[in-house]
């Protein structure tokens, strides 16, 4: 296991195996997980000899910044990171009044196949490790020079398709010896893998769970989200309800509005009927047009009407504010642009 993926107890064992004193583990753990170090060389309270040995025997797999685009409109930053094996992933920093939020990727590519999503077009290359997910947060924080308070796992990849690494990542991110971000400030978004949702409930983490719903019935959902063929809405919403009962955390339902597909009055009415019994927030996302896809967002008035229809049923709704409109469109587009050119 790479040092960026190790918990403090694991690092203590690894350091002991090298014949080093236990307190070295705490020092290294803090360099990586508190002070955002990405190289052994930075760890100046280790002896030069030890740093050189670690560099030789245990090269760090921290993500490296390849590109950053900064929005002139709202300060949003889009990052492209390169992993030790050359894999590219995107992360996004969003500046809100309540703090700095980083949106991280959980996989290199994705195999869920949602029809409107750019991240799935090339399929799944591999899972990201816990350290590679943490590394995205740390690298953004270093680059920004301000503390990150919130983390959302809503970038490329399906987090529950990379379950063990996801849970390790959350435990390390919230570890009091590390960055110690509050569980309540972490949100995981899933396309609705029912066994994963049920398992996550058992972890007793107080994190927020968001479900990508995108359709109010199975028939329509199956046409845009292949995962709906495995898990019908009744089961997905049942698992979400269990998650709420066990954690008390308000649920989020994401609904990408696609013109002529899922934005009708009838869809809004059906959606309201399905979810009005939940303590939830519906996040309407006018679909981000992806070059390879034919979907377009409804106009503002239509999105507004959809929102009103839900609100009439007592449902909390926000229309997602478009962040960083000037710095490249939909999620996964920056990485795709790189993969398509001979930039590699
Ligand atoms: N795999 C996870 C998280 C990644 S995507 C999931 O499915 O939830 C984060 C959110 O953005 C999801 O709700 C996803 O469906 C949505 N999304 C993906 N592509 C989009 C696009 N082009 N326009 C609007 N929303 C999109």
């Amino acid at each position: 296991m790479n040092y960026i993926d190790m918990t403090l107890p694991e690092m203590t064992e690894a350091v002991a195996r090298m014949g080093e004193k236990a307190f070295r583990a705490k020092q290294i753990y803090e360099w990586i997980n508190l002070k955002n170090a990405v190289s052994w060389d930075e760890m100046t309270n280790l002896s030069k000899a030890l740093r050189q040995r670690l560099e030789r025997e245990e090269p760090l797999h921290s993500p490296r910044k390849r590109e950053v685009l900064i929005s002139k409109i709202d300060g949003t930053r889009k990052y492209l990171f390169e992993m030790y094996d050359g894999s590219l992933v995107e992360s996004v920093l969003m500046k809100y009044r309540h703090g700095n939020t980083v949106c991280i990727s959980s996989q290199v590519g994705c195999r869920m196949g949602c029809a409107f999503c750019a991240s799935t077009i090339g399929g799944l290359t591999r899972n990201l490790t816990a350290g590679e997910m943490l590394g995205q947060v740390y690298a953004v924080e270093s680059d920004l020079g301000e503390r990150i308070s919130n983390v959302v796992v809503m970038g490329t990849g399906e987090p529950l398709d990379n379950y063990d690494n996801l849970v390790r990542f959350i435990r390390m991110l919230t570890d009091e010896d590390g960055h110690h971000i509050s569980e309540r400030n972490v949100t995981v978004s899933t396309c609705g893998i029912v066994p994963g949702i049920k398992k996550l409930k058992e972890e007793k983490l107080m994190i927020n769970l968001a479900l990508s719903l995108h359709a109010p019935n199975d028939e329509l959902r199956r046409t845009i989200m292949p995962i709906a063929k495995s898990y019908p809405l009744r089961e997905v919403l049942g698992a979400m309800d269990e998650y709420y009962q066990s954690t008390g955390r308000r649920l989020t339902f994401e609904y990408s509005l696609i013109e002529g597909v899922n934005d009708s009055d009838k869809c809004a009415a059906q959606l309201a009927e399905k979810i009005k019994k939940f303590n939830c927030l519906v996040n309407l996302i006018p679909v981000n047009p992806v070059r390879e896809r034919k979907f377009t967002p409804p106009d503002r008035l239509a999105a507004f009407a959809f929102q009103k229809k839900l609100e009439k049923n007592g449902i909390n709704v926000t229309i997602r504010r478009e962040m960083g409109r000037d710095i490249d469109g939909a999620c996964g587009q920056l990485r795709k642009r790189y993969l398509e050119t001979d930039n590699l």
Side-chain angles (χ1 to χ4, degrees), residues 92-106:
V92 184
L93 166 89
M94 290 158 292
K95 299 187 84 120
Y96 293 113
R97 265 191 303 274
H98 61 264
N100 295 318
T101 299
V102 179
C103 171
I104 64 147
S105 293
S106 55

Side-chain angles (χ1 to χ4, degrees), residues 110 114 116-118 153-159 189-191 210 212 214 225 254 256 285-290 320 330-331:
C110 182
C114 297
F116 43 81
C117 180
V153 188
M154 291 189 183
T156 295
E158 167 50 43
S189 175
T190 177
C191 62
S212 296
H214 304 326
M225 300 180 72
E254 292 156 288
S256 296
I285 318 167
V287 76
N288 233 321
V290 173
R320 186 176 292 177
C331 335

Side-chain angles (χ1 to χ4, degrees), residues 246-259:
S246 145
T247 61
R249 304 299 293 159
R250 180 172 77 168
L251 302 172
T252 299
F253 295 120
E254 292 156 288
Y255 196 99
S256 296
L257 284 170
I258 310 170
E259 187 179 31

Side-chain angles (χ1 to χ4, degrees), residues 1-3 6-22 24-25 50 53-54 57-58:
M1 189 190 299
N2 196 263
Y3 268 73
M6 291 180 191
T7 61
L8 183 53
E10 287 165 345
M11 212 177 269
T12 306
E13 276 179 36
V15 161
R17 280 196 298 274
M18 292 186 84
E20 291 290 332
K21 296 230 165 58
R24 294 283 176 218
L50 178 57
R53 180 177 170 204
L54 285 163
E57 296 176 13
E58 301 281 352

